[in-house]
Amino acid sequence: MQTEILGNAESVTQQNNVLLIKTKEAEARVWVYSPTIIRVSISKEHSADSSFAVVKDPESTLNYKETATDITVSTSALTLHINKSPLRFNFSTADGKVLSEDDPRFGTNWQGTRVVNYRKLYKDERFIGLGEKTGNLDRRGSAYVNWNTDAPDHGPKTDPLYETFPFFVGLHNGLSYGLFFDNTHKSYFDFGASTDEQMSWFGADGGDMNYYFFGAQSVAQIIEDYTWLTGRMEMPPLWSLGYQQCRWSYMSAEEVLDIASKLREDKIPADVVYCDIDYMDHYKIFTWNKQTFPDPKGMIDKLKAMNFHLVTIVDPGIKVEDGYKQHDEGVAKGYFATYPDGEKYIGSVWPGRCYFPNFTDKAVRDWWGASFTALTEPGVEGFWNDMNEPAVWNQSIPWMVKFGKYYMPEIRNVYGMQMAEATYLGTKKILGNKRPFVLTRAAYAGTQRFSAVWTGDNSAYDAHMLLGQRLVNSLGITGMSLVGVDIGGFTGNPTPELMVRWNSLGVYTPMFRNHAAQGTNYREPWRWGKDNEAIIRKDIEQRYKLLPYIYSGYYQSHQTGLPLSRTLAIDYTQEDSIFSEHFQNQFMFGDAILVAPVESTKFNEDVYLPKGEWYRLSSGEKFVGGRIINAPAPLTDLPVFIKGSAIIPMQNLVQSTSEKGDGILKINVWYGSTANSFVYYEDDGSSYDYQKGVYYKRTISFDPAKSMISLSAVEGSFVSKYNKIELVLHGFKGHLKTFKVNGHDVKIWPNTGDGTDYSIFVNEGKEIKIQY
C-alpha cells in the first residue's frame, strides 16, 4: 500500500474568511473561529462543509502574512506557523511558546483512504480526555480506537466502548492546548504508545484531516472553548438529579409501584423509577405489554402521587411486522437503512428481525420524535436510548449498508447521538414547556446538547467502580456533565460492602442511578440488611441535602461547559501527584468538594490533597494541602474534603425534589485565607422559563481580609422556594469578633461544643452583607 505524505505548497489564496493552500496531494483550508480556536482541514476532495458536532461559525475575517518559506496566521492569543515546503502546521502562543507541531517528516499522510496526522511528542507531555476511554487519567503511552461498540462485560482496559469523543487536551512545559478531530469515521489516537517516544498520532479510516486547535492556557478555558464550539447542555429537570432506581427489569406495573412504595415506606429519598425492555409488547418500541402493564396512565398517575417520575427505555430497532405502526410508517416513507440496491437492511435485536431508522435525516428524526406520544400521553417524562451504537446480535452491520447518503463506516460513531437528538427534540416538542430527561448509551461530540450518558454495562467489582469514576471524570473533559454509572455494577453480584461503598460514591456521581442486570441479585437499598440500609439511606439523604449546590453546578455547566465531576487535572493541572495511578481517581465535585474513591475492602486510604486548605467533611478536621494524608475510610464515611473558603448551599432533608421543604437555604462557609465567591442559581426545575429570565441568581462572596460574607442583589424574576437563610460557619473559631447583618447585631448559635461551627438565621432579602 502506497503512502502519500503531504508535500509542498503550490498555491496560497484567500477566499473571504478561509485560507486555501494547495499541494499536489491535497488542499488545506484554515479558518479562525475565535482568538483561541483555529481550524485546519486537509482533504483530497473537499465536499460540502458540515459537522454533526459543531454549532458555531468561523469569524468573518482571517489575517495572515506570507513569505517565500512560510505563512503566519495570528490572533491575539494564538499563532499558526505554516511551513510551505513541506506543508506543516505548528501552533504556538501569541508570545511564541510552542504548543504543538506537526512531525516535520510525516505531517499529514494517506494510505489508501486512511488519513493520519503525526505530531511531535514533547518530553514531559501528558494527555487527558477522549471521553469514555479506559486506562489511566494520563493517556501518555496508550492507544485508542473510536468505534462505538456494544461492549458488555468490558474490563478496565477494554477498548473501544460505547461512545466517541475525539477531543483531548495536551499538557507540557506548563502549557496547555486542546485538539478536536471532527471526523466520524473509525478513528485512532496513539499518544506515544508505539513510536519510541518520538511522535503522537491520530487519524481515521476515511474522510478529512479536519481538526480544531484550542490554544487557551488553562484546561478549564479549553473546555469552555470546546463546549462553545460544540454546544452546551440545557438545564436538566431537577428530578433527574435525585436518586434513580432501575433494573432489567421490573416485570409489571405492580412491581414498579411496589418498588416506589417501599422507597417511600423506608424513607429513602428518591425521584425516579425505570422501566427496562419488558414493559413493551414483545419488545416493540412505542408499545406497552397489555398483560403486565395494562393501564400505563393509571400506573404513572400513582407514581406521580408518590412524587416519582418514570423513565422508559427505547431502542432503535423497529420490528419487521406488518400492522405495527412504526414499521408501516417507516416502510412507506423510506426511513430505514438499506443495502446499495435499495433492499432494506435487517438485523436481529430484542424484537427479532428489525429495520433501523436513518437518524441522519431530519425527516426521520422528526417522525421518531413524534412517535413518543405513545409514552408521553400516559405521563412518561424520561427517555432512555439504548442499543444505539447501533447494536445487532453477534454481528457488525455491514459497511455497505446505507443510511440515506451515508455508508455505515461514516456514521456509526454518530448514530447514537443523532438518535438522542431525535428523542430530545421530539419529546421537547410534545411536552411543550416541560424539560424531558434523555439518557443515551452511544454518543459523539456535541451530545451534551441533547442528552445525559452513562458508561454502559459495567460489572460488580471494585476495579470497575474505580474505572467508572475515571470514565465519568474523562467524559466531563468533553463537555458531558450529566453522566452516570450503574451503581453496584450491571453484571455480577456485589458484596454488601461494595454496594454500600459504591452508593456512597453515587452521592457525588452526577447521575445517581442504581441499576442491575436480569439474573443478578436485586440492588434496592433494603436488600442489604438493616444496618447497611441505614448507611445507604444516610448517603442518599446527603445527596438531597446537596441539591442546591448540585443544581447551581449544573447552571455553571450550562453557562461554561465545566462539568460537575472534574478530574483534578482541571483545577490542579501542574501538581504531578494528581496523575499518579494511586490518586488519579480523585475528583472535584463542583468547585468545592474533593472526593477520594476507596475500594470496599479498604478502610484507610492515602489521599492527595492539592495545595491549599482542606477540611474533612465528616469531622471538620483541617489540613494543609500539597501533601498526602492517610484518611480513615470506614464504610460509613467516604473520604470527602471541603476546600478552604468554600461556599456550599444546602437544604434540609426532603424525600423528593417535588417536596416543598421547610423553606430554609443553608449556606455553608468554610473558613479560608483567600477570598471566594459562588453563583447560586435556582429556577422552577421543570420548564424552559429560565430562558426568559424566570430564574433566581445571586453571587455569594466570602472575603476573609474584610471579615465579610455577602449576598448580591438577586437577578431574575423567579421567587425562591427558600424564605429564610441559615448561614453555617465552619472553622471560624478565633475569627468571630462581632456579628452584624446589614449593620444590625444578630445572635449566633454554636453548632459544636468546641466553638468551631456556628449558625445564623437571616431573612431572605434583596442584598445581604454580613460582617463578623
Side-chain angles (χ1 to χ4, degrees):
M1 182 183 291
Q2 184 178 358
T3 299
E4 289 184 275
I5 299 175
L6 189 65
N8 300 338
E10 295 181 344
S11 67
V12 179
T13 58
Q14 182 176 357
Q15 291 183 4
N16 300 317
N17 64 342
V18 58
L19 182 67
L20 306 177
I21 310 170
K22 291 187 178 181
T23 73
K24 182 179 70 173
E25 300 80 16
E27 180 182 81
R29 300 182 182 186
V30 177
W31 296 261
V32 171
Y33 275 70
S34 80
T36 51
I37 306 173
I38 293 177
R39 177 186 172 194
V40 175
S41 182
I42 306 169
S43 177
K44 286 181 170 292
E45 43 184 71
H46 277 289
S47 55
D49 190 28
S50 62
S51 172
F52 292 98
V54 172
V55 296
K56 295 294 185 181
D57 294 320
E59 292 185 348
S60 57
T61 59
L62 177 145
N63 298 308
Y64 72 97
K65 295 181 180 178
E66 182 182 3
T67 69
T69 59
D70 56 40
I71 305 161
T72 303
V73 178
S74 299
T75 73
S76 59
L78 192 57
T79 301
L80 169 58
H81 300 278
I82 306 173
N83 296 325
K84 293 167 71 173
S85 300
L87 191 61
R88 300 290 181 263
F89 298 84
N90 307 314
F91 295 88
S92 64
T93 61
D95 59 357
K97 296 172 183 174
V98 174
L99 295 174
S100 182
E101 302 167 284
D102 273 348
D103 179 84
R105 298 166 297 168
F106 305 124
T108 296
N109 60 79
W110 295 263
Q111 288 181 301
T113 62
R114 179 172 286 179
V115 59
V116 176
N117 178 249
Y118 289 91
R119 307 197 72 77
K120 285 186 180 180
L121 185 62
Y122 303 103
K123 184 177 180 180
D124 67 337
E125 194 164 13
R126 290 183 166 118
F127 302 90
I128 60 174
L130 288 192
E132 192 191 29
K133 291 298 180 187
T134 57
N136 294 324
L137 165 63
D138 182 3
R139 308 299 190 191
R140 175 79 176 244
S142 297
Y144 298 96
V145 176
N146 285 320
W147 187 243
N148 287 2
T149 300
D150 182 7
D153 298 318
H154 62 269
K157 295 185 178 180
T158 301
D159 185 71
L161 296 179
Y162 305 89
E163 301 160 12
T164 289
F165 292 92
F167 167 72
F168 68 87
V169 176
L171 307 165
H172 67 88
N173 297 305
L175 302 167
S176 60
Y177 69 90
L179 194 147
F180 169 42
F181 180 40
D182 191 11
N183 181 313
T184 62
H185 289 73
K186 190 174 190 178
S187 58
Y188 308 85
F189 288 79
D190 186 308
F191 298 109
S194 58
T195 57
D196 193 32
E197 301 293 319
Q198 294 184 62
M199 298 175 290
S200 64
W201 61 269
F202 63 93
D205 281 351
D208 297 338
M209 178 47 59
N210 177 43
Y211 64 87
Y212 297 78
F213 190 90
F214 301 85
Q217 286 310 294
S218 75
V219 177
Q221 184 60 54
I222 290 170
I223 294 172
E224 189 166 345
D225 283 351
Y226 167 78
T227 55
W228 171 84
L229 184 73
T230 61
R232 298 192 178 121
M233 67 178 295
E234 299 282 13
M235 288 301 296
L238 178 61
W239 58 263
S240 69
L241 309 183
Y243 177 74
Q244 305 185 7
Q245 187 63 58
C246 185
R247 180 173 180 81
W248 173 32
S249 280
Y250 297 129
M251 297 299 295
S252 66
E254 181 181 11
E255 187 177 13
V256 169
L257 292 169
D258 284 347
I259 293 293
S261 297
K262 181 65 172 171
L263 286 162
R264 292 288 177 251
E265 178 187 327
D266 283 15
K267 294 192 179 304
I268 298 168
D271 269 82
V272 184
V273 288
Y274 279 71
C275 281
D276 209 316
I277 56 176
D278 294 285
Y279 80 91
M280 291 181 267
D281 175 17
H282 293 89
Y283 309 125
K284 290 183 290 187
I285 311 305
F286 308 121
T287 68
W288 294 87
N289 185 319
K290 295 178 181 178
Q291 282 69 49
T292 52
F293 292 84
D295 180 13
K297 185 178 187 304
M299 176 189 71
I300 295 170
D301 286 346
K302 290 177 181 177
L303 288 172
K304 288 181 176 179
M306 291 187 280
N307 289 332
F308 277 98
H309 296 261
L310 184 69
V311 177
T312 53
I313 199 168
V314 289
D315 297 342
I318 300 294
K319 183 175 177 60
V320 179
E321 181 183 284
D322 291 339
Y324 166 35
K325 183 175 184 289
Q326 277 67 39
H327 166 273
D328 294 350
E329 290 177 350
V331 169
K333 296 178 180 179
Y335 283 168
F336 297 131
T338 66
Y339 289 107
D341 63 0
E343 177 189 347
K344 287 181 286 298
Y345 168 73
I346 294 175
S348 291
V349 281
W350 293 112
R353 299 169 70 248
C354 287
Y355 295 141
F356 291 82
N358 170 26
F359 290 117
T360 67
D361 185 331
K362 183 180 183 302
V364 179
R365 294 197 299 273
D366 290 345
W367 162 77
W368 174 265
S371 298
F372 277 90
T373 53
L375 301 176
T376 59
E377 286 177 0
V380 179
E381 298 172 66
F383 312 94
W384 171 18
N385 292 358
D386 198 21
M387 304 292 288
N388 56 349
E389 290 72 33
V392 289
W393 292 154
N394 302 315
Q395 57 184 290
S396 179
I397 294 177
W399 286 17
M400 66 175 171
V401 171
K402 296 192 70 176
F403 291 78
K405 63 182 180 180
Y406 300 102
Y407 284 96
M408 186 76 236
E410 299 175 86
I411 58 92
R412 183 179 183 90
N413 285 337
V414 294
Y415 189 82
M417 179 238 204
Q418 291 291 279
M419 180 184 175
E421 178 180 356
T423 300
Y424 174 70
L425 295 180
T427 56
K428 179 181 178 183
K429 183 176 181 180
I430 293 168
L431 293 174
N433 193 29
K434 183 183 288 186
R435 305 173 205 170
F437 168 67
V438 177
L439 177 64
T440 183
R441 190 169 78 178
Y444 183 74
T447 298
Q448 67 271 9
R449 305 196 301 268
F450 313 115
S451 179
V453 299
W454 91 105
T455 59
D457 295 346
N458 61 354
S459 299
Y461 56 96
D462 281 283
H464 242 286
M465 177 179 67
L466 300 181
L467 167 65
Q469 191 58 55
R470 288 199 301 282
L471 294 176
V472 167
N473 297 345
S474 183
L475 283 160
I477 295 169
T478 65
M480 296 302 309
S481 189
L482 190 49
V483 182
V485 302
D486 290 344
I487 301 295
F490 180 68
T491 63
N493 292 311
T495 64
E497 293 78 15
L498 177 58
M499 195 67 213
V500 169
R501 182 72 90 194
W502 210 328
N503 182 80
S504 68
L505 187 57
V507 175
Y508 306 99
T509 302
M511 189 187 79
F512 189 3
R513 183 176 81 150
N514 175 320
H515 185 40
Q518 192 177 61
T520 64
N521 294 339
Y522 278 72
R523 301 277 200 273
E524 293 76 20
W526 56 86
R527 310 283 187 182
W528 308 96
K530 288 295 183 184
D531 290 345
N532 288 327
E533 181 184 3
I535 301 170
I536 291 170
R537 180 190 297 108
K538 173 187 68 72
D539 286 331
I540 295 174
E541 288 174 349
Q542 175 71 356
R543 170 71 170 213
Y544 278 76
K545 292 175 183 177
L546 280 168
L547 280 174
Y549 173 77
I550 292 170
Y551 198 65
S552 297
Y554 276 110
Y555 178 71
Q556 186 181 38
S557 297
H558 169 61
Q559 291 289 300
T560 69
L562 274 176
L564 189 63
S565 285
R566 305 172 191 169
T567 166
L568 297 185
I570 293 177
D571 292 329
Y572 302 99
T573 314
Q574 304 307 322
E575 298 192 36
D576 288 342
S577 292
I578 68 165
F579 295 99
S580 162
E581 290 186 28
H582 194 85
F583 306 119
Q584 65 180 352
N585 302 314
Q586 295 178 198
F587 63 100
M588 296 298 295
F589 188 66
D591 291 335
I593 301 175
L594 185 150
V595 182
V598 181
E599 294 173 47
S600 65
T601 56
K602 291 185 178 180
F603 305 107
N604 282 276
E605 184 62 275
D606 286 341
V607 175
Y608 177 73
L609 294 176
K611 293 175 182 176
E613 304 161 282
W614 298 92
Y615 294 83
R616 179 78 185 250
L617 176 60
S618 59
S619 68
E621 184 179 0
K622 189 174 182 180
F623 299 90
V624 176
R627 63 191 181 101
I628 299 166
I629 66 165
N630 186 260
L635 290 176
T636 54
D637 189 11
L638 185 73
V640 176
F641 297 84
I642 307 298
K643 193 175 181 179
S645 302
I647 300 165
I648 299 181
M650 298 174 68
Q651 65 183 3
N652 289 316
L653 182 61
V654 293
Q655 291 298 306
S656 78
T657 58
S658 300
E659 191 176 314
K660 186 177 180 180
D662 62 6
I664 298 173
L665 180 67
K666 303 179 73 164
I667 298 176
N668 294 265
V669 181
W670 278 263
Y671 190 84
S673 58
T674 58
N676 187 32
S677 64
F678 180 88
V679 176
Y680 172 75
Y681 178 84
E682 192 182 339
D683 59 30
D684 62 22
S686 63
S687 78
Y688 291 93
D689 290 350
Y690 72 91
Q691 297 177 347
K692 303 172 185 176
V694 187
Y695 56 80
Y696 175 103
K697 182 172 72 168
R698 68 194 315 174
T699 300
I700 307 168
S701 300
F702 166 65
D703 188 341
K706 297 180 180 178
S707 297
M708 178 76 74
I709 298 168
S710 61
L711 283 74
S712 70
V714 175
E715 296 178 41
S717 61
F718 183 74
V719 177
S720 174
K721 64 182 176 183
Y722 305 104
N723 51 38
K724 184 170 284 189
I725 293 169
E726 179 184 357
L727 182 64
V728 186
L729 304 178
H730 304 269
F732 274 69
K733 184 177 181 180
H735 299 285
L736 289 175
K737 302 176 183 68
T738 61
F739 208 92
K740 295 180 182 291
V741 177
N742 291 341
H744 300 286
D745 291 330
V746 297
K747 186 174 182 178
I748 63 175
W749 302 86
N751 289 331
T752 56
D754 60 2
T756 56
D757 287 11
Y758 300 87
S759 284
I760 304 96
F761 288 90
V762 182
N763 289 326
E764 205 274 344
K766 291 183 178 178
E767 191 169 2
I768 303 170
K769 291 188 180 296
I770 301 164
Q771 191 78 41
Y772 62 87

